[in-house]
Amino acid sequence: MSAGRAIGLLLGVAADGIVGHPKDGRPVAGFARLARALEKKVYADHPVPGAVHAGLLAGGAVLLGVLTERVGRRSPVLQATGTAITTWAVLGGAALAIDGTELARDLETGRLDAARDTLSELDPRDTDGLTVIALSRASVETVAESTSDAVVSPLFWGAVAGAPGLLGARAVKVLRRLSSSPEHHRFNWVVVRLDELVNLLPTRVAAALTVSGAPVVGGSAAGAWRAWQRDASAHPSPNAGRVEAAFAGALEIRLGGRTVYPHGVEELPVLGDGRNPDAGHVTRAVELSRVVGWLAGISSAVLAVILGLRRR
């Protein structure tokens, strides 16, 4: 069965890259709408309703994955098919490449308002008044973070736990992305802690794959490793900043620093020691994201086979 899971992961990665998702019909977007609707019904300024909200949605996603796995036990073909469809549904690599390319094009042509609008759909920071340099920095950070969240993390847990891992990891990250409002701090406490736990290993894996893939896009593997090891530990989050630091070092640019959110200003650590980014670096970040995505697909397939052999 491990071979079926591995093949399904690779087929799902290929489907995401070739087919992708229509912008208005992405499965993850539908899950996000469901999460917002349920939050309106159960919200209260307390961690318990937040735990119920996260448990119902993430637990429901995992349950759907369990049912998919049970159907797949009948044959390797069914397992490969179920894993492939699930992988395609949860991955966001193709969507990220489209959005990142759009950002780079708008920045290159000076359409800053359009770039601000696109970025605001991907990142919770306040984009009003951001300059070309600030928009470029934010765009690279968003591409780097989303590569880990929407590609590497679900593939890692897909290799470990199959369809339940794929759906559960993506569900937790979507819920975490929806929990950026400071007014809902107590309600979102559980999902924030859960997200930190679920992504503890995948963020490190994503940073390592960034180091490995940097030379493919003309980047610096040594710079990616150095920035990751030197700068990421200064970030207040146990996960955030790992992949961003690796991307900064790979592209030889500086990320981080002063970041404005709707709830206030945060002075984040500076990641990397190169020049300020521009539109060209956003394009290269998208290329690096694609490379990391394919490396993650191959690595997850290998990991699935290894774990399957160990179980036997």
Side-chain angles (χ1 to χ4, degrees), residues 183-311:
E183 292 82 7
H184 293 186
H185 171 73
R186 283 163 58 82
F187 179 81
N188 293 321
W189 187 88
V190 170
V191 75
V192 170
R193 302 288 84 79
L194 183 60
D195 173 70
E196 290 175 350
L197 179 63
V198 168
N199 287 284
L200 196 65
L201 288 177
T203 51
R204 275 78 178 167
V205 172
L209 294 177
T210 301
V211 173
S212 301
V216 179
V217 298
S220 170
W225 173 263
R226 184 168 57 250
W228 172 24
Q229 298 300 310
R230 181 192 62 206
D231 301 333
S233 60
H235 203 283
S237 168
N239 297 327
R242 267 62 187 174
V243 184
E244 292 178 15
F247 264 66
L251 301 177
E252 300 176 292
I253 55 177
R254 282 180 293 172
L255 301 175
R258 186 176 186 271
T259 305
V260 180
Y261 293 97
H263 60 270
V265 179
E266 293 188 17
E267 294 293 341
L268 299 176
V270 175
L271 309 173
D273 52 12
R275 54 176 288 190
N276 288 323
D278 55 29
H281 291 109
V282 179
T283 299
R284 291 182 64 202
V286 173
E287 294 171 352
L288 180 55
S289 175
R290 286 195 179 103
V291 172
V292 171
W294 277 106
L295 290 175
I298 296 170
S299 301
S300 65
V302 172
L303 178 60
V305 171
I306 292 173
L307 293 176
L309 292 175
R310 286 176 63 87
R311 293 188 188 101

